[in-house]
Amino acid sequence: MVGQSRTQDFDAVIIGAGQAGGPLATALAQGGQRVALVERAYVGGSCINVGCTPTKTMVASARVAHVARRAADYGVHTGTIRVDLAEVRRRKREMVESFRSGSRNAIEGTDGVELIMGEAAFAEQNGDGQGFLLDVAQQDGTQTQLGAGKVFINTGARNRLPTLPGLETTEYLDNASIMELDTVPDHLLVLGGGYIGLEFGQMFRRFGSQVTIVQRGSRLLNREDADISDAVAEILREDGVRVLLDTDASAVEQASGGEVRLRVSTPDGDETLVGSHLLVATGRIPNSEHLQLDRVGVATDDRGNIQVNGQLETNVPGIYAVGDVKGGPAFTHISYDDFRVLRTNLLEGGAASIQNRLVPYTVFIDPELGRVGLGEEEARQRGLNIRVAKMPMAHVARALETDETRGFMKAVVDADTQQILGCAILGIRGGEIATVLQVAMLGKLPYTAIRDGVFSHPTVAESLNN
């Protein structure tokens, strides 16, 4: 029997316990507010449960398999390399549970926060001028109504499915379900050449799968400079991944034997790819449609992303959106920075903004691609007077010593001010080296300060001298 409880009043209701919602709940409560945190699935958001934590745990396992196969290159001889995907999955699950339970314990251990497991939506009757009402369908079947003066939406995003004939009757994997496999696929077809497709494509190739990546555009990671995209494609091909560019998928079907048949149009003609599994990695869409935003008049764009200003407030005063649901860069560190902006403005009397912030990111292929700031192509499109520094990893002593010489380092500098505008580091420790340059950018150091700095030898960072 479904029960209906009376309306409970809070100072704030947060919808979604992701990387912004969880910290925000505890911060508001520690600031003296009574907070309800509503989560429909699992505490920690995509990052902990189906994103960063599990994928990078599995990437680490794949790298061990790769290095083990290369052991003879280092004078170390091993036996046959065998990947037990069930054990890889067990390790991944244990890591996820550790992170998830730690986040949940922190929330539940904070006075003033009530964690409610369920799905929230704005109520039919709203707009009394005193705040907002939300209906919550709890996991135990209870219907609860919450009232609050402020509402924060942190509902994240999910896998976007392409319009592809036959997909509705074909078994396919997404970024979450692929990590629950307990056996290595014979042949993994990857639809999409973004960071999700590339990370899983290389990972499963190293686990032992045959892998084919199908990319509609002319580049992998299509927002990167052409030289970066070309180098990434070459690295994947060196690892044995088949990369098809300028290739459209026209239809898919599940054959009687269980295999997946994907019909594609390539620059060389039409082809039918036959695989054991299909991963769909063609983008993400926001989880906003179930919130009944029209009841309070919150504006979204044509993809459902909630529109916000620099202080993360929607067009409706008192309603805010943070993290992936608002569109823009969909990274954990951006979601957490959204929380910091709100904490600064709502609790500390500051005037923080998300406008003009540096957005770093790392693509966790191997070697890593670390990125921050402007790329060369974007800088030239803006008409900036730039200088470009570029050096292959084969010129880095530490990379040579570890036999990890694939990729290159690239930095874009303002020729007039000597300020670093951006960088792309495709190489060993790429994300870490990009962070060094980001710190210089935050401190507004001229590139000469890095060029002339004294770094310990032999490290990858010392290559910045060159």
Side-chain angles (χ1 to χ4, degrees):
M1 179 177 179
V2 176
Q4 173 71 53
S5 67
R6 64 180 177 81
T7 300
Q8 302 178 62
D9 292 322
F10 294 86
D11 296 301
V13 172
I14 302 170
I15 309 174
Q19 294 301 298
L24 180 61
T26 56
L28 291 175
Q30 290 166 355
Q33 299 186 35
R34 186 164 181 253
V35 181
L37 177 58
V38 184
E39 172 54 53
R40 70 174 178 176
Y42 32 60
V43 170
S46 296
C47 175
I48 286 178
N49 294 280
V50 296
C52 319
T53 298
T55 58
K56 279 47 179 182
T57 301
M58 293 182 70
V59 162
S61 294
R63 175 163 170 77
V64 169
H66 171 68
V67 173
R69 292 189 184 98
R70 291 191 59 210
D73 295 344
Y74 299 88
V76 178
H77 299 277
T78 64
T80 301
I81 306 303
R82 183 179 65 87
V83 173
D84 185 337
L85 198 58
E87 278 295 296
V88 173
R89 184 182 65 179
R90 178 195 59 76
R91 178 175 176 269
K92 180 267 299 186
R93 286 177 173 177
E94 289 177 351
M95 193 71 68
V96 168
E97 179 55 34
S98 173
F99 280 43
R100 180 194 295 159
S101 60
S103 296
R104 182 160 184 161
N105 289 341
I107 291 167
E108 293 182 328
T110 301
D111 291 338
V113 178
E114 182 174 339
L115 177 62
I116 301 172
M117 300 305 294
E119 185 164 350
F122 286 96
E124 189 75 42
Q125 298 299 322
N126 262 292
D128 59 2
Q130 303 300 313
F132 307 96
L133 296 176
L134 296 109
D135 293 325
V136 180
Q138 295 185 224
Q139 290 181 355
D140 63 4
T142 301
Q143 298 292 323
T144 301
Q145 191 167 82
L146 309 177
K150 288 185 173 61
V151 176
F152 302 88
I153 302 171
N154 182 214
T155 49
R158 66 184 184 279
N159 198 42
R160 176 176 62 83
L161 297 180
T163 301
L164 180 63
L167 187 62
E168 67 279 0
T169 57
T170 300
E171 293 183 11
Y172 62 87
L173 301 165
D174 61 17
N175 65 296
S177 59
I178 192 171
M179 293 187 288
E180 289 303 309
L181 295 175
D182 59 2
T183 57
V184 176
D186 292 330
H187 185 183
L188 177 66
L189 304 177
V190 180
L191 195 57
Y195 70 92
I196 293 176
L198 301 193
E199 288 181 9
F200 281 117
Q202 187 185 54
M203 176 196 302
F204 277 89
R205 177 60 189 150
R206 291 179 167 188
F207 285 152
S209 300
Q210 182 180 347
V211 175
T212 301
I213 295 176
V214 177
Q215 169 69 336
R216 184 176 184 180
S218 60
R219 300 180 187 177
L220 300 177
L221 303 173
N222 57 16
R223 295 183 180 180
E224 304 298 336
D225 289 341
D227 55 353
I228 296 290
S229 298
D230 291 347
V232 168
E234 181 59 28
I235 285 168
L236 291 172
R237 289 179 175 128
E238 286 176 0
D239 281 3
V241 176
R242 186 183 182 195
V243 178
L244 299 178
L245 302 176
D246 291 313
T247 299
D248 281 319
S250 57
V252 66
E253 64 177 353
Q254 194 96 44
S256 58
E259 69 268 20
V260 177
R261 297 181 179 272
L262 182 66
R263 291 197 290 277
V264 298
S265 298
T266 79
D268 298 322
D270 294 344
E271 182 179 349
T272 297
L273 305 174
V274 181
S276 60
H277 297 72
L278 172 66
L279 169 64
V280 177
T282 51
R284 308 280 287 171
I285 57 173
N287 294 320
S288 60
E289 72 282 357
H290 66 282
L291 293 169
Q292 302 292 348
L293 297 174
D294 57 313
R295 292 177 176 175
V296 287
V298 170
T300 62
D301 65 13
D302 56 2
R303 299 187 63 182
N305 295 306
I306 298 176
Q307 303 296 280
V308 298
N309 60 21
Q311 287 67 47
L312 298 165
E313 193 168 24
T314 69
N315 62 301
V316 178
I319 300 179
Y320 300 77
V322 292
D324 297 356
V325 75
K326 71 182 191 307
F331 303 119
T332 294
H333 45 280
I334 294 302
S335 185
Y336 188 75
D337 190 59
D338 287 350
F339 149 67
R340 293 192 297 186
V341 167
L342 289 177
R343 179 182 61 187
T344 297
N345 296 343
L346 300 179
L347 295 175
E348 299 172 356
S353 173
I354 65 171
Q355 294 174 348
N356 300 318
R357 62 183 169 187
L358 281 175
V359 179
Y361 57 92
T362 300
V363 182
F364 287 91
I365 53 174
D366 183 18
E368 296 174 357
L369 171 60
R371 283 279 286 111
V372 67
L374 296 181
E376 178 183 0
E377 292 175 6
E378 184 179 358
R380 294 194 188 282
Q381 288 168 2
R382 294 188 184 187
L384 300 176
N385 182 22
I386 63 171
R387 299 177 66 191
V388 178
K390 189 173 178 179
M391 184 176 70
M393 295 303 293
H395 291 181
V396 177
R398 185 62 173 165
L400 288 163
E401 292 158 358
T402 57
D403 200 10
E404 298 280 359
T405 58
R406 298 194 293 180
F408 58 87
M409 309 174 74
K410 182 178 181 180
V412 179
V413 171
D414 188 307
D416 299 321
T417 66
Q418 297 190 342
Q419 293 291 302
I420 303 168
L421 300 177
C423 72
I425 312 296
L426 176 62
I428 178 176
R429 303 287 185 266
E432 310 291 344
I433 303 307
T435 299
V436 174
L437 292 179
Q438 181 189 357
V439 171
M441 294 167 71
L442 289 169
K444 300 189 183 305
L445 294 176
Y447 80 89
T448 53
I450 300 296
R451 182 197 64 190
D452 300 334
V454 179
F455 302 103
S456 62
H457 174 80
T459 62
V460 181
E462 96 176 302
S463 60
L464 296 174
N465 289 153
N466 299 327

